[in-house]
Amino acid sequence: MQKNLLIMSEMPQYFINLADKNFNTHKLWLQNDEDKFISDIQEKVDAIAVMGGYKITPELMKSMTNLKIIACYGVGYDAIDIVYAKSLGIKVTNTPEVLNDEVADTAIALMLCVYRKILEADKFARNNSWINGEFPLTKKFSGSKLGIVGMGRIGKAIAKRAEAFNCTISYHSRNKKNVEYQFYDNLIELAKEVDTLCVITPGGKETEKLINKNVFENLGSNGVLINVARGSVVDQDELVYSLKNNVILAAGLDVYINEPNIPKELIDLKNTVLLPHVASATVETRNAMGQLVFDNIKNYFEGKPLISPVV
Ligand code: NAP
Ligand code: 8YV
């Protein structure tokens, strides 16, 4: 008999097709009354597939008495209560590696957009403002000093790209890595040293507001913040203050607290480049993530080892 797979929110058609062929699928986002839908199926759900940002609470896990595996469509699993899942013996998987290129490309794109004011220049060209004079000069990115906060899989992919821009690369993470770049065990010292701070750590309690007032003050009025990690890693109110008051120069952001809401203050600022959490969002990469979600669930029910287990 086919296993019951609950899909929490809309995911790429590639994944939905695989899931429909192999499981008895239940699509939460298509229901008018989601609570009633969940209570109708909660005792038969064997597996959940879920977008990275969707909260999987202890209450939900507890109510699904037959649940065996939660497959997260994302490498960051901070929205899933891992400790609770483990206590119930529920397996959790994520999608590492397959999105490294995409997220690293996006981080570099944000840096170039901030330094070279690419979006403003595009508007300037479209508005025909060029007729009235040249676009103002911008700031050189090549050869600048880049500090990466989180030298993990994606951090390393960002560093590799930044090498091609002749950036001087240094980093902060919990542990020193086997890489050529300079390690700072003190984040403030790193902030003092660099032109750009690029954040790519996991979210969750441990990194909450890691990038705070003290970091902004030490990054300084020529400093640029890039955040492709999680909104929670940056003190968002302090970021708005720092951008408004020239504590730092500018920011390029893909992630926010309370997505999909972006604070109006960030939108109104001229010294921000804002993306709607799209760092991994290409057809190729999202399909690869979908395949990994599917393969993990399939392996579980075939009694094979999970490909990318979290717990
Ligand atoms: P990873 O390989 O686990 O790397 C995470 C890095 O963060 C490691 O270097 C780790 O240091 C460091 N770190 C963890 N806690 C820290 C702390 N408290 N202080 C300083 N450094 C800390 O993960 P990844 O695959 O590169 O992904 C990183 C994160 O990027 C994900 O968890 C997700 O939140 C985010 N992400 C965002 C998008 C997007 O669409 N914007 C896409 C993909 C991923 P140690 O190794 O020394 O412990
Ligand atoms: C996804 C991400 O967009 O992998 C992650 O951690 O943030 C992104 O790749 C997100 O998980 C939505 O599923």
Side-chain angles (χ1 to χ4, degrees):
M1 205 175 68
Q2 281 193 325
K3 297 292 179 188
N4 286 290
L5 170 64
L6 171 61
I7 308 174
M8 304 303 281
S9 51
E10 192 164 8
M11 286 167 60
Q13 199 55 46
Y14 178 83
F15 169 76
I16 301 292
N17 292 346
L18 280 175
D20 281 341
K21 263 190 215 142
N22 290 273
F23 301 112
N24 186 20
T25 54
H26 305 274
K27 295 166 183 142
L28 184 62
W29 77 98
L30 296 179
Q31 312 307 317
N32 290 327
D33 186 342
E34 293 193 351
D35 289 343
K36 181 174 182 309
F37 182 72
I38 287 201
S39 79
D40 287 348
I41 60 165
Q42 64 192 10
E43 278 167 22
K44 63 178 180 184
V45 171
D46 298 290
I48 288 180
V50 63
M51 296 283 279
Y54 198 104
K55 267 213 171 331
I56 300 287
T57 59
E59 294 69 43
L60 187 89
M61 289 185 231
K62 205 173 165 190
S63 72
M64 308 242 157
T65 46
N66 207 28
L67 180 62
K68 294 168 197 80
I69 178 167
I70 301 169
C72 176
Y73 175 78
V75 65
Y77 49 84
D78 45 296
I80 302 173
D81 191 323
I82 294 298
V83 175
Y84 195 74
K86 198 172 177 187
S87 77
L88 294 183
I90 297 170
K91 299 287 177 200
V92 178
T93 62
N94 67 344
T95 61
E97 304 288 359
V98 294
L99 39 58
N100 294 354
D101 282 346
E102 230 61 85
V103 181
D105 289 356
T106 306
I108 296 288
L110 277 172
M111 291 176 210
L112 288 171
C113 284
V114 168
Y115 272 77
R116 301 300 311 278
K117 301 199 175 188
I118 302 292
L119 304 181
E120 281 179 44
D122 173 88
K123 263 192 213 129
F124 184 90
R126 285 172 201 278
N127 290 344
N128 268 333
S129 302
W130 193 10
I131 288 164
N132 304 317
E134 296 289 323
F135 187 72
L137 300 182
T138 59
K139 189 174 161 68
K140 181 168 178 171
F141 174 66
S142 276
S144 62
K145 290 187 266 179
L146 171 63
I148 299 177
V149 184
M151 186 51 78
R153 292 168 291 236
I154 302 171
K156 288 184 187 123
I158 295 170
K160 186 176 168 194
R161 284 154 176 74
E163 278 184 33
F165 289 89
N166 290 325
C167 289
T168 303
I169 300 157
S170 40
Y171 71 101
H172 167 75
S173 54
R174 289 175 299 192
N175 308 295
K176 191 173 185 302
K177 308 286 169 201
N178 186 19
V179 291
E180 297 291 298
Y181 319 119
Q182 166 129 32
F183 173 62
Y184 285 79
D185 62 357
N186 185 323
L187 173 58
I188 298 303
E189 293 305 316
L190 176 69
K192 255 187 217 164
E193 184 53 35
V194 298
D195 301 305
T196 310
L197 211 51
C198 177
V199 188
I200 186 65
T201 62
K205 278 275 161 262
E206 212 198 307
T207 54
E208 197 173 353
K209 297 188 181 172
L210 184 66
I211 309 300
N212 52 30
K213 184 179 167 65
N214 197 7
V215 173
F216 293 129
E217 284 173 355
N218 282 283
L219 185 56
S221 57
N222 276 318
V224 170
L225 177 80
I226 302 294
N227 187 11
V228 283
R230 284 289 181 268
S232 59
V233 187
V234 173
D235 183 333
Q236 199 162 272
D237 292 339
E238 211 47 65
L239 172 63
V240 169
Y241 177 88
S242 300
L243 288 164
K244 273 188 176 167
N245 294 285
N246 201 28
V247 178
I248 65 169
L249 183 68
L253 309 171
D254 184 46
V255 287
Y256 312 85
I257 292 168
N258 196 24
E259 294 175 8
N261 303 292
I262 303 178
K264 188 168 177 324
E265 284 172 302
L266 280 178
I267 293 170
D268 288 344
L269 282 167
K270 279 218 154 87
N271 51 350
T272 55
V273 174
L274 306 178
L275 300 180
H277 200 149
V278 290
S280 69
T282 63
V283 172
E284 294 86 347
T285 290
R286 288 292 174 88
N287 286 354
M289 290 162 66
Q291 184 72 53
L292 191 45
V293 168
F294 173 78
D295 290 343
N296 271 309
I297 301 172
K298 189 160 171 286
N299 274 19
Y300 179 86
F301 290 116
E302 288 177 354
K304 295 179 185 160
L306 296 173
I307 301 161
S308 45
V310 175
V311 291

